[in-house]
Amino acid sequence: MTPPRAPQIPVVVLAGFLGSGKTTLLNHLLRNRAGNRIGVIVNDFGSIEIDAMAVAGQVGSTVSLGNGCLCCAVDASELDTFLETLTRPAARLDVIVIEASGLAEPQELVRMLLASDNPHIRYGGLVEVVDAAEFVTTRERHPEIDRHLGVADLVVLNKTDRVAQAELDAVREAVATAGSRAAVIHAEFGRVDPELLVDPVLRPDGDDTASQLTFEDLLLDTDHEHDSHMHAAYESVSFTTDVPMNPRRFIEFLDSRPEGLYRIKGYVDFGAGDPGNRYTLHSVGRFLRFVPQPWSRDEPRCTQLVLIGSGIDAEALDKGLSDCREPEQGAGGELERSMWGILRYVQQPDDDEA
């Protein structure tokens, strides 16, 4: 029997111009990591505010952050090498975050990730951090920001506490006119809900015995007051059905998914279209991948999805998904032809993977 496919590690690109708050957001993520082990690749040599990260300017260095996370300082030419290092089973990482240089072209990092031959990673999205207070000035000096916003999967309007509502509305409008179809959320001091980027793990980092406090433990209380309502920045829609989904209708739904819908995760049952497999779905922004996986012998045949976004219409999404269900089992040939639409998004598992 072919062994189960090892989970791929999502790689998130964190971009934004100098001073936008990328490092602040990254530090917040490390402090509130929901039990995840995070690998950090720094392409900026900035000051990650952790004593162990005294590697600014030391290209090719890797240090432990003391909470199960790792950090590397690299230049772009070494990206694949360090991705290989961080995806080794011994590292036990759940997510990798690349903090891009403030003057980097983030789409180049995205292109490198999508072209990577590393079978252990998957694209986790491009997060573009924008300084709401300085956006107009930054855009005048660096018009290429429109290009960055155009390829972003999530836009974080940071430092919103420094601007009036009218100015904030103008910034949101400017982001939209830049061609961005990304979900847009507001943040102060880089504080976003980590579950937008990473899924909380079920396993504890250790046992219940006494142990040394981690950096996260020490700083968690200082962030608690500010983080208590972060979830209000986005909406989450859950969808479950034991009726198989029609492949053609489901692809049409995905191809026309609304702006602001940032992530879709879960798995899909296409019934007679492929009775031997369920299809794990990973969608971030406009990026979409299916991975077929054999059904377990006693596993319930159903579709389970979670959709996450900002400014989305939960009722419309639920109705759209419900309309994708098969009213009845159609002819085998029709279902087989419908499955062809899925193939352009399918990533086949490697036979030699453990």
Side-chain angles (χ1 to χ4, degrees):
M1 179 182 294
T2 302
R5 177 182 174 88
Q8 291 179 309
I9 301 173
V11 181
V12 177
V13 177
L14 182 61
F17 277 93
L18 297 169
S20 61
K22 299 188 304 297
T23 302
T24 302
L25 190 155
L26 178 57
N27 282 313
H28 166 75
L29 183 63
L30 289 168
R31 296 171 182 177
N32 302 271
R33 58 195 174 91
N36 286 280
R37 294 170 62 89
I38 302 175
V40 180
I41 296 179
V42 181
N43 183 225
D44 197 13
F45 316 134
S47 56
I48 298 224
E49 298 169 8
I50 298 174
D51 291 341
M53 187 48 191
V55 297
Q58 298 180 26
V59 177
S61 298
T62 301
V63 297
S64 171
L65 300 184
N67 59 359
C69 303
L70 298 173
C71 190
C72 303
V74 306
D75 60 32
S77 65
E78 297 177 310
L79 183 59
D80 276 334
T81 300
F82 276 87
L83 284 174
E84 183 64 32
T85 299
L86 293 177
T87 55
R88 290 174 181 169
R92 297 173 51 237
L93 295 180
D94 300 296
V95 63
I96 297 172
V97 179
I98 301 176
E99 183 186 1
S101 164
L103 299 177
E105 287 290 341
Q107 61 267 42
E108 287 303 306
L109 288 172
V110 172
R111 180 189 59 77
M112 292 172 66
L113 290 175
L114 294 178
S116 175
D117 293 327
N118 189 324
H120 306 296
I121 65 170
R122 60 176 170 84
Y123 177 54
L126 168 60
V127 179
E128 182 75 17
V129 184
V130 172
D131 184 340
E134 300 292 336
F135 177 73
V136 174
T137 301
T138 301
R139 195 181 186 196
E140 290 175 350
R141 295 178 178 175
H142 302 281
E144 62 269 27
I145 195 173
D146 284 9
R147 185 168 64 250
H148 300 177
L149 290 168
V151 296
D153 300 298
L154 177 68
V155 175
V156 177
L157 292 185
N158 196 27
K159 307 182 184 180
T160 55
D161 55 308
R162 296 176 51 192
V163 298
Q165 185 61 48
E167 184 178 355
L168 186 58
D169 292 342
V171 172
R172 287 188 65 104
E173 180 65 25
V175 169
T177 59
S180 176
R181 301 186 62 188
V184 180
I185 61 171
H186 298 178
E188 299 176 10
F189 307 103
R191 295 185 176 99
V192 301
D193 193 325
E195 291 190 31
L196 275 170
L197 307 179
V198 298
D199 297 325
V201 296
L202 298 179
R203 57 158 173 75
D205 276 355
D207 56 30
D208 293 329
T209 59
S211 61
Q212 181 179 0
L213 288 176
T214 66
F215 183 78
E216 178 187 23
D217 296 327
L218 294 171
L219 293 179
L220 189 59
D221 287 342
T222 64
D223 281 346
H224 179 74
E225 178 181 352
H226 300 280
D227 296 342
S228 58
H229 300 290
M230 286 188 300
H231 64 277
Y234 66 93
E235 297 84 35
S236 177
V237 178
S238 297
F239 178 82
T240 301
T241 179
D242 56 5
V243 178
M245 304 291 275
N246 178 279
R248 178 182 56 80
R249 293 178 188 169
F250 190 56
I251 283 296
E252 289 175 351
F253 170 84
L254 293 173
D255 285 344
S256 61
R257 57 194 185 276
E259 297 179 14
L261 182 55
Y262 173 56
R263 293 178 68 197
I264 308 176
K265 55 186 179 180
Y267 56 87
V268 186
D269 173 23
F270 289 118
D274 187 353
N277 290 300
R278 72 176 189 176
Y279 282 71
T280 298
L281 171 60
H282 163 63
S283 171
V284 56
R286 312 313 295 176
F287 178 82
L288 176 65
R289 282 291 181 270
F290 287 99
V291 179
Q293 296 177 316
W295 290 102
S296 300
R297 178 174 298 177
D298 299 323
E299 186 176 5
R301 301 292 178 103
C302 65
T303 294
Q304 291 186 324
L305 297 170
V306 176
L307 300 86
I308 300 172
S310 176
I312 57 178
D313 186 334
E315 290 187 7
L317 289 174
D318 185 79
K319 182 180 185 304
L321 287 168
S322 297
D323 290 345
C324 294
R325 295 179 297 184
E326 284 284 4
E328 60 184 23
Q329 293 298 323
E334 178 183 349
L335 283 172
E336 184 177 350
R337 287 191 298 272
S338 296
M339 287 299 294
W340 278 101
I342 302 290
L343 294 180
R344 58 187 163 129
Y345 298 117
V346 166
Q347 175 181 328
Q348 294 291 345
D350 296 332
D351 293 335
D352 59 351
E353 280 194 50

